[in-house]
Amino acid sequence: MALGDAILLLVSAGVSVLIALLGVVIVAGFGVAAWRLTRRGALASEDAVVPVLSRRRV
């Protein structure tokens, strides 16, 4: 469902256009923030820093 469809659905249900627009933008913003936080954790575990001493060959 596109964001415009969600706004039109809320407006047709009787919600003010401004309130519908703000609600959809806030929910989408929280979704993007949550996605970025989960991606940051995945990237950090893949790119773990290895100490220089442990990389040396003996």
Side-chain angles (χ1 to χ4, degrees), residues 5-53:
D5 292 340
I7 293 170
L8 289 174
L9 183 64
L10 290 171
V11 170
S12 67
V15 178
S16 168
V17 175
L18 181 61
I19 300 300
L21 180 62
L22 285 175
V24 169
V25 168
I26 289 170
V27 169
F30 278 126
V32 170
W35 177 75
R36 290 188 62 161
L37 285 174
T38 58
R39 287 294 301 148
R40 184 187 323 179
L43 291 175
S45 63
E46 292 173 2
D47 297 331
V49 177
V50 178
V52 175
L53 294 176

